[in-house]
Amino acid sequence: MSDLDAIDRKILAALQADGRITMQELADQVGLSVSPCHRRVKLLEKSGVISRYTAQVNQKALGLHVSVFISIKLTRQKEEDLARFAKAISKWDEVLECYLMTGNRDYLLRVVAADLAAYETFLKTKLTRLDGIASIESSFALSQVKYSIALPVS
């Protein structure tokens, strides 16, 4: 939806900052009355610009202190091999993100674990058991400098 106007963008920015904002508060922030604001939100949802609402949970509060970025190289890059890998890792809760990449590696994963032992268990019982993996390279995040799920809408 490329025809977003300034008010739509304000709505998106406000909802990304606080998905639990009331319609009245949202309308006040963007300079509309409640009914037109509600209609715009519904149109943004219907068109797929707003795809869902979620709660952002603190990773460390759940005891998941380790973040690992894993580069995967497959033995072959045929469509069926890519699909098999994607299907397998999509079932694992530890994998928060997975990207098919260009360059030297085929996939980049972001994985969370409670500690190094939990990551080792994930590696040994899941990732290394997949057929078709040529190499696995793990990089551990020391600290998080920036994290955002809010897209730039202005």
Side-chain angles (χ1 to χ4, degrees), residues 4-61:
L4 297 175
D5 65 14
I7 293 175
D8 289 332
R9 292 177 189 284
K10 285 180 184 178
I11 289 170
L12 293 173
L15 287 173
Q16 286 186 109
D18 181 4
R20 293 184 60 162
I21 191 171
T22 68
M23 198 55 65
Q24 180 64 61
E25 292 168 327
L26 181 60
D28 291 344
Q29 277 190 30
V30 302
L32 292 175
S33 62
V34 174
S35 291
C37 185
H38 188 258
R39 271 194 302 275
R40 282 179 178 253
V41 170
K42 289 299 176 194
L43 283 171
L44 291 167
E45 292 169 352
K46 185 178 178 183
S47 67
V49 173
I50 297 173
S51 58
R52 66 182 177 182
Y53 296 89
T54 64
Q56 195 170 346
V57 179
N58 183 316
Q59 173 183 334
K60 295 199 188 291

Side-chain angles (χ1 to χ4, degrees), residues 101-144:
M101 305 294 290
T102 62
N104 295 332
R105 301 293 174 175
D106 296 311
Y107 286 98
L108 179 65
L109 282 62
R110 183 166 75 96
V111 171
V112 294
D115 52 30
L116 291 178
Y119 175 67
E120 181 181 5
T121 299
F122 166 79
L123 196 63
K124 288 180 176 178
T125 63
K126 292 182 179 177
L127 197 54
T128 58
R129 291 185 180 183
L130 285 182
D131 289 333
I133 293 181
S135 66
I136 300 169
E137 183 180 304
S138 302
S139 297
F140 293 86
L142 299 176
S143 66
Q144 188 176 75

Side-chain angles (χ1 to χ4, degrees), residues 79-114:
E79 187 174 352
E80 58 270 14
D81 298 314
L82 299 173
R84 185 174 50 252
F85 179 83
K87 182 179 179 185
I89 63 99
S90 68
K91 297 175 186 172
W92 300 337
D93 293 337
E94 300 92 341
V95 178
L96 299 185
E97 298 176 73
C98 177
Y99 301 94
L100 179 61
M101 305 294 290
T102 62
N104 295 332
R105 301 293 174 175
D106 296 311
Y107 286 98
L108 179 65
L109 282 62
R110 183 166 75 96
V111 171
V112 294

